[in-house]
């Protein structure tokens, strides 16, 4: 016997709080006892593989401490501790602070993610001590009897012991898209999920013995890789590393030659040249920005299962929405039950089953009884069937084969599937007849042109959802059970629109993100709902059954159409692929198992928290509060992270470029390096470190684009060259005036570089608002204090002598600033082109 699942258009994503379809039916074994469970726990036969959403504490500390640049800076800091003075070692304290900030922020993100993952974690049902219990995945033990229903994810490996039309999708493991019908004795693997029917299996491999479970854990780990942003930053850092080594060697040799009599001074100036080449804060700010983004989204009950999802959603230009559970709430209400006129045969006589048909049409209560029997066979009703139950009740007595229920008896049942679009129950009727009763999509169950379809379209155009109840003498195991179907009634349902759906769609429209509704429901009905929400293009819905077969035409239709109805799970996947083939970055939302294939193939998969275990397993983002309105926050957070990291990356790389250029100019001219480490520290802190931290966390709604490295280098390379050239020019002119006063020459160079670097900061900080102007002013004020407050100027060894050289430095910085403006405008124009 097979029990039906949801008889409507969509595969169910919501779980029902009632009994499991295989809970405690007569004759079923009661599962392990408490003593047997305790004995298996004591010997370690428990599913102890942790489902982690984040890196461990040890991994976080190691990733933030043991980096190649921390190693370089650490060696430099150790040398300064030997040669002194301590103020030249301030850069080491900055690195310690940066590392600590990185660890603290990632730990905050870990805590948030782990707590959210615990909330969203699947809770499988097992049979123990004769009762059905819901437990954590880590509490499953060897030989446990695990129950399965539609949408459940298989948590551990096992052997099927009970099956009622149990169909398992193993595509995530094998790549085979077709569900596999399971019988008792068949094997099930963790990572697969149920698409039809119900069943139970005995756990044969738990914990780390289940290889597929290890793969699933590995696939769901929180990760910082596989994103254009991090790939681009890593490429830049690798290049800098190769550039840094020969430059540093040349700088060491030149400074020892120039300052041969004072090797300590040579070492200090050599370190002052090497340290600024390292963009150590860029990696830190990237991690901090992502981590803070995770925490912010966590406060909105949004679980980011893969960190690059924040970046990916920021790049999205197309959002594919599943109507049910996304634009509409889970609940529905039956607003009408319409009995249909009997359709006579061609000779004017009624069909062979006319006596019962006459009785059905004469008494709508019989239709309600049949619906109650069908509902009684569904232990996990989702919103459509729940609405039927709320309206007409459920006849639990009819769920057992041969059991009486007011004269009705269930002989066999066929579960709902997204491909079939209906479910059915073969019944022994009160008057002794036997027939199959089907409940599902009218346009699938009825032939084209049937008179009832006009009525269905009329209701669908109002945004109502319609199910057809029909009866046929054809058995359920026939090739076409819907053949010779006699339509008896229309069940008219009203979906509950989400109050925030219209506002969310307007947000996407304003952000130039195209929203497309891809649903299994009737196209007219979906279009009516989308039109009611104000979605542009919703007045021309397309029935997916009429989509062109040619790939090019298919992609053209996918690109220009806003609303699709009657879409099968495979077609959802194909629509996503077609949009991606046209260069679109696609996000897909869903909550049912019919959405899994599309969620998996989309650039970003977004699942609802109350959706099926399968959708949550493959999605990168889970909206635990089921609120579609959370998506704009996710998009905005992604754009903030990506846009701001790109913004501050320019600051760090300008510093790297001018540091390398200054080192090369010093090598070629055999001059002392213009700075001591303390000067580099104050310059980096005031023009890059502090401003970058604030800029990285500021709002930013600009949609992320590809070409991160190219755009960053467009400003960084010319900006660094201009800054380095201006600084060395002012330094050389000051040395020509008084070559013996190295402190004054260094002070002029520091002033010039600070002014040019502040101009770069002013460019990067645009567009201005009050706090950005205040930030720039504060940094300028801080540097003024360093120059004018005696103990600070002594500490940082800065002393401007006379007026000519400082004003020459200011003039050179002004010219450099104008060149930066011209360069920035040219590069910006090229970027826009």
């Amino acid at each position: 016997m097979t029990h039906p699942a949801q008889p409507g258009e969509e595969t169910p994503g919501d779980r029902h709080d009632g009994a499991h379809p295989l809970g405690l039916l007569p004759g079923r074994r009661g599962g392990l006892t408490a003593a047997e469970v305790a004995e298996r726990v004591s010997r370690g036969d428990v599913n102890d593989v942790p489902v982690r959403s984040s890196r461990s504490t040890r991994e976080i500390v190691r990733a933030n401490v043991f980096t190649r640049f921390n190693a370089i800076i650490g060696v430099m800091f150790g040398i300064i501790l030997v040669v002194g003075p301590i103020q030249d070692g301030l850069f080491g304290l900055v690195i310690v602070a940066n590392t600590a900030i990185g660890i603290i922020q990632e730990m905050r993100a870990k805590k948030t993610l782990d707590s959210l993952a615990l909330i969203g974690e699947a809770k499988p049902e097992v049979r123990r001590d004769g009762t059905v219990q819901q437990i954590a995945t880590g509490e499953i033990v060897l030989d446990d009897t695990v129950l399965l229903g539609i949408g459940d994810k298989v948590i551990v490996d096992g052997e099927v012991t009970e099956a009622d039309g149990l169909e398992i999708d193993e595509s995530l493991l094998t790549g085979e898209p077709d569900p596999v019908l399971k019988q008792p004795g068949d094997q099930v693997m963790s990572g697969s999920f149920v698409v039809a029917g119900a069943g139970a299996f005995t756990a044969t491999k738990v914990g780390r013995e289940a290889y597929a479970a290890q793969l699933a854990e590995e696939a769901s780990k929180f990760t910082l890789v596989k994103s254009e942003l991090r790939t681009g930053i890593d490429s830049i850092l690798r290049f800098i590393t190769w550039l840094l080594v020969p430059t540093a060697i040349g700088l060491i040799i030149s400074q020892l030659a120039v300052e041969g009599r004072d090797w300590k001074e040579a070492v200090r100036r050599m370190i002052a040249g090497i340290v600024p080449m390292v963009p150590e804060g860029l990696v830190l700010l990237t991690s901090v920005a992502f981590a803070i983004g995770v925490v912010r989204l966590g406060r909105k009950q949004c679980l980011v299962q893969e960190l690059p999802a924040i970046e990916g959603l920021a790049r999205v230009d197309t959002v594919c929405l599943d109507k049910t559970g996304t634009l509409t709430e889970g609940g529905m209400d039956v607003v009408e039950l319409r009995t249909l006129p009997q359709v006579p045969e061609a000779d004017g006589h009624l069909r062979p089953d006319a006596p019962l048909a006459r009785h059905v049409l004469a008494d709508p209560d019989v239709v309600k009884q049949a619906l109650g029997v069908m509902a009684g066979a569904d232990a996990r009703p989702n919103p459509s069937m729940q609405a039927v139950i709320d309206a007409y009740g459920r006849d639990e007595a009819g769920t057992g084969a041969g059991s009486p229920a007011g004269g009705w008896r269930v002989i066999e049942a066929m579960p709902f599937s997204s491909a079939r679009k209906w479910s059915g129950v073969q019944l022994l009727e009160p008057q002794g007849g036997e027939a199959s009763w089907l409940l599902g999509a009218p346009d699938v169950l009825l032939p084209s042109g049937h008179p009832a379809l006009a009525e269905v379209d009329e209701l669908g155009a109002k945004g109502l959802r319609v199910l057809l109840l029909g009866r046929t003498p054809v058995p359920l195991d026939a090739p076409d059970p819907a053949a010779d179907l006699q339509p008896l009634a229309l069940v008219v349902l009203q979906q509950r629109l989400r109050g925030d759906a219209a506002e969310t769609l307007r947000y996407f429209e304003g952000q130039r993100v195209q929203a497309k509704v891809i649903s299994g429901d009737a196209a007219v009905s979906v279009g009516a709902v989308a039109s009611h929400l104000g979605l542009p293009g919703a007045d021309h819905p397309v029935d997916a059954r009429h989509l062109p077969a040619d790939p090019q035409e298919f992609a053209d239709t996918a690109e220009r159409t806003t609303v699709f109805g009657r879409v099968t799970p495979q077609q959802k996947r194909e629509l996503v692929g077609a949009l991606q083939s046209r260069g679109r970055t696609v996000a897909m939302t869903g909550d049912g198992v019919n959405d899994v294939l599309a969620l998996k193939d989309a650039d970003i998969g977004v699942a609802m928290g109350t959706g099926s275990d399968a959708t949550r397993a493959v999605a990168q983002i889970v909206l635990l509060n089921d609120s579609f309105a959370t998506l704009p926050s996710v998009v905005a957070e992604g754009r903030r992270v990506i846009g701001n990291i790109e913004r501050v990356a320019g600051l760090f790389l300008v510093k790297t470029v001018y540091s390398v250029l200054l080192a090369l100019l010093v090598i070629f001219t055999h001059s002392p390096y213009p700075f001591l480490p303390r000067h580099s520290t104050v310059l980096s802190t005031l023009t890059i470190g502090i401003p970058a931290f604030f800029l990285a966390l500021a709002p930013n709604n600009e949609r992320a684009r590809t070409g991160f490295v190219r755009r960053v280098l467009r400003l960084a390379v010319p900006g660094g060259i201009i800054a380095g050239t201006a600084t060395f020019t002012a330094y050389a002119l000051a040395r020509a005036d008084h070559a013996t006063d190295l402190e004054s020459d260094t002070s002029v160079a520091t002033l010039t570089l600070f002014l040019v670097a502040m101009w770069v900061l002013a460019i990067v900080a645009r567009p201005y608002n009050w706090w950005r102007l205040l930030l720039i002013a504060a940094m300028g004020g801080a540097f003024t204090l360093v120059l004018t407050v005696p103990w600070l100027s002594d500490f940082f060894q800065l002393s401007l002598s006379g007026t000519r050289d400082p004003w020459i430095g200011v003039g050179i910085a002004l010219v450099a600033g104008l060149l930066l403006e011209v360069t920035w405008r040219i590069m910006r124009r090229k970027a826009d082109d």
Side-chain angles (χ1 to χ4, degrees):
M1 181 187 71
T2 304
H3 298 301
Q6 165 59 24
E9 285 80 353
E10 295 284 4
T11 303
D14 297 325
R15 296 174 66 98
H16 180 57
D17 293 332
H20 196 282
L22 291 174
L24 285 172
L25 295 182
R28 301 284 167 88
R29 60 188 293 264
L32 298 176
T33 64
E36 290 172 328
V37 171
E39 188 266 334
R40 283 161 174 75
V41 171
S42 66
R43 67 175 189 238
D45 291 334
V46 64
N47 191 46
D48 59 352
V49 177
V51 180
R52 295 190 298 146
S53 61
S54 62
R55 298 191 289 184
S56 68
T57 301
R58 178 181 296 180
E59 289 171 334
I60 290 173
V61 172
R62 186 168 57 240
N64 282 276
V65 173
F66 299 106
T67 67
R68 73 166 73 103
F69 291 134
N70 274 8
I72 295 170
I73 299 298
V75 171
M76 298 296 104
F77 181 67
I79 295 173
I80 285 295
L81 291 179
V82 174
V83 301
I86 191 60
Q87 53 262 49
D88 281 331
L90 291 177
F91 65 86
L93 300 179
V94 172
I95 295 301
V96 172
N98 285 349
T99 302
I101 291 171
I103 292 173
I104 291 170
Q105 292 295 351
E106 278 210 54
M107 289 299 296
R108 286 183 63 204
K110 170 183 168 59
K111 182 179 179 181
T112 301
L113 283 171
D114 288 348
S115 61
L116 291 177
L118 189 62
I119 295 172
E121 184 183 0
K123 299 285 187 181
E125 291 180 337
V126 299
R127 196 182 297 131
R128 291 178 179 175
D129 286 324
T131 62
V132 174
Q133 303 176 19
Q134 196 171 62
I135 64 174
T137 58
E139 296 175 3
I140 294 177
V141 300
L142 193 67
D143 300 325
D144 248 332
T145 300
V146 185
L147 309 183
L148 295 174
I150 291 180
D152 285 347
K153 181 182 174 182
V154 180
I155 302 299
V156 296
D157 298 352
E159 181 179 314
V160 177
T161 55
E162 305 157 21
D164 280 356
L166 180 65
E167 295 182 25
I168 303 274
D169 189 317
E170 299 176 341
S171 60
L172 300 182
L173 300 174
T174 65
E176 176 57 49
D178 296 328
V180 180
L181 182 65
K182 296 291 185 179
Q183 301 292 348
D186 291 343
Q187 300 296 312
V188 292
M189 297 289 289
S190 56
S192 56
F193 56 92
V194 181
V195 293
F201 70 91
T202 298
T204 57
K205 289 183 179 180
V206 295
R208 302 188 184 278
E209 290 187 12
Y211 178 67
Q214 294 179 19
L215 293 180
E217 178 200 4
E218 196 69 27
S220 63
K221 281 184 182 177
F222 182 86
T223 177
L224 293 171
V225 296
K226 297 181 181 177
S227 72
E228 182 188 347
L229 180 67
R230 295 198 64 86
T231 300
I233 290 176
D234 288 342
S235 299
I236 292 171
L237 296 183
R238 279 196 303 270
F239 177 76
I240 290 173
T241 302
W242 287 108
L243 186 65
L244 187 148
V245 173
T247 306
I249 293 173
L251 189 61
I252 292 170
I253 295 172
S254 71
Q255 292 308 290
L256 289 174
V258 172
E259 300 283 353
R261 294 181 181 179
D262 188 353
W263 68 271
K264 289 186 177 181
E265 182 73 8
V267 169
R268 283 194 292 269
R269 292 192 177 267
M270 173 267 294
I271 290 175
I274 294 175
V275 170
M277 296 182 196
V278 180
E280 71 286 341
L282 180 57
V283 178
L284 165 75
L285 278 181
T286 303
S287 298
V288 168
F290 272 125
I292 290 178
V294 167
V295 173
R296 285 178 173 176
L297 292 176
R299 291 172 183 160
K300 298 178 183 293
Q301 291 294 294
C302 175
L303 171 60
V304 182
Q305 301 201 106
E306 296 180 22
L307 191 60
I310 296 182
E311 174 186 347
L313 201 48
R315 301 186 190 282
V316 161
D317 54 25
T318 306
V319 177
C320 295
L321 309 169
D322 176 41
K323 176 178 72 70
T324 306
T326 302
L327 300 180
T328 61
E329 293 181 352
M332 295 185 186
D333 301 301
V334 176
V335 294
E336 187 180 0
L337 180 66
R338 291 191 183 184
T339 54
L340 296 173
Q342 185 179 336
V343 180
E345 299 289 348
D347 58 4
H349 294 88
L350 299 178
R351 293 183 177 182
D353 55 347
L356 182 63
R358 237 186 244 117
H359 178 69
V360 169
L361 291 174
D363 187 1
D365 289 340
V366 177
V367 173
K368 298 175 183 178
Q369 288 178 21
L371 288 171
V373 173
M374 296 186 77
D378 187 357
R380 283 191 174 189
N382 82 339
S384 295
M385 183 57 86
Q386 189 61 49
V388 173
I389 293 171
D390 293 341
Y392 310 118
R394 60 188 299 169
D395 198 335
E396 300 277 0
T399 61
S403 61
W408 300 85
R409 288 192 297 175
V410 178
I411 298 173
E412 189 180 358
M414 183 174 288
F416 172 84
S417 78
S418 298
R420 194 168 49 240
K421 303 293 185 188
W422 54 263
S423 64
V425 181
Q426 195 166 337
L427 298 174
L428 188 61
E429 299 164 337
Q431 295 186 350
E434 183 179 318
S436 298
W437 293 68
L438 308 183
L439 183 65
D443 52 343
V444 173
L445 292 172
L446 296 177
S448 178
H450 193 283
L453 291 179
E455 200 170 349
V456 171
D457 290 341
E458 179 184 344
L459 292 167
K462 299 176 182 178
L464 298 170
R465 188 173 185 180
V466 184
L467 304 179
L468 174 75
L469 177 67
R471 177 183 179 277
T472 176
V474 179
L476 285 179
D477 56 2
D480 183 11
D484 202 27
L485 182 76
Q486 181 181 7
L488 300 178
L490 297 178
V491 182
V492 185
L493 304 169
Q494 186 175 46
Q495 294 177 298
R496 301 168 190 166
L497 294 178
R498 291 187 178 274
D500 49 27
E503 183 179 351
T504 305
L505 290 176
R506 284 196 297 272
Y507 168 83
F508 283 127
E509 183 181 359
Q511 295 297 318
R512 293 177 298 160
V513 176
Q514 188 174 9
K516 295 180 180 290
V517 182
I518 301 178
S519 174
D521 289 359
V524 175
S525 176
V526 180
V529 171
S531 294
H532 183 75
L533 294 173
L535 181 64
D539 50 345
H540 295 96
V542 169
D543 191 315
R545 291 171 297 183
H546 305 140
L547 285 171
D550 179 72
Q552 284 296 112
E553 294 181 15
F554 186 92
D556 289 339
T557 304
E559 198 165 20
R560 68 171 178 263
T561 305
T562 301
V563 176
F564 297 87
R566 288 288 173 251
V567 186
T568 64
Q570 185 61 34
Q571 283 180 316
K572 286 189 178 186
R573 185 183 206 176
E574 291 169 355
L575 283 169
V576 168
L579 291 168
Q580 289 171 328
S581 71
R582 294 300 173 89
R584 299 290 189 98
T585 303
V586 182
M588 175 76 196
T589 70
D591 66 344
V593 293
N594 60 329
D595 302 316
V596 169
L597 296 176
L599 284 170
K600 182 189 172 195
D601 283 4
D603 296 287
I604 298 295
V606 182
M608 298 296 170
T610 56
S612 68
D613 296 343
T615 56
R616 295 200 305 272
V618 301
Q620 288 89 11
I621 293 174
V622 181
L623 305 180
L624 296 175
N625 58 0
D626 284 350
S627 176
F628 176 48
T630 306
L631 270 184
S633 299
V634 181
V635 173
E637 194 61 36
R639 291 184 175 183
R640 183 194 65 78
V641 170
I642 305 308
N644 289 338
I645 289 174
E646 183 172 319
R647 183 191 297 269
V648 301
L651 287 176
F652 285 100
L653 296 181
V654 164
K655 182 189 74 167
T656 298
V657 173
Y658 73 61
S659 298
V660 172
L661 179 60
L662 284 173
L664 293 175
L665 290 172
V666 163
I667 292 170
F668 294 142
T669 60
H670 298 286
S671 303
Y673 193 78
F675 305 116
L676 290 171
R678 69 194 78 173
H679 304 134
S680 298
T681 299
V682 73
L683 286 168
S684 297
T685 301
L686 296 181
T687 64
I688 300 171
I690 295 175
F693 185 81
F694 286 98
L695 292 174
L697 303 180
N700 191 329
N701 288 322
E702 183 179 354
R703 188 169 73 198
R705 299 169 292 162
T706 57
F708 164 76
V709 175
R710 184 180 65 253
R711 285 194 305 276
V712 169
L713 293 181
R714 276 179 176 173
L715 176 63
V717 173
I721 291 173
I722 291 171
T725 303
T727 302
F728 193 79
T729 301
Y731 175 62
L733 291 175
R735 276 184 58 76
D737 188 31
H738 37 70
T740 58
D741 190 359
L742 190 54
E743 182 175 329
S744 295
D745 301 340
T746 293
S747 300
V748 171
T750 303
L751 173 65
T752 306
L753 182 53
F754 176 81
L755 293 174
V756 178
M758 284 295 291
W759 205 306
V760 174
L761 173 61
I763 290 175
V764 169
R766 295 169 185 169
Y768 298 132
N769 53 25
W770 69 268
W771 70 263
R772 288 179 179 171
L773 291 173
L774 180 61
L775 177 65
I776 295 170
M779 297 302 99
F783 187 74
T784 302
L785 289 176
V786 170
L787 288 178
T788 57
V789 176
W791 71 268
L792 285 175
S793 61
D794 291 341
F795 183 84
F796 286 104
Q797 202 170 326
L798 289 173
S799 175
L800 294 171
S801 300
T803 58
R804 190 177 76 99
D805 291 334
W807 280 110
I808 288 176
V810 171
I812 292 173
L814 180 62
V815 173
L818 295 176
L819 287 174
L820 283 171
E821 286 290 340
V822 173
T823 302
W824 177 72
R825 293 179 188 279
I826 293 173
M827 293 303 177
R828 187 179 182 184
R829 191 178 300 115
K830 287 184 177 180
D832 293 338
D833 293 340

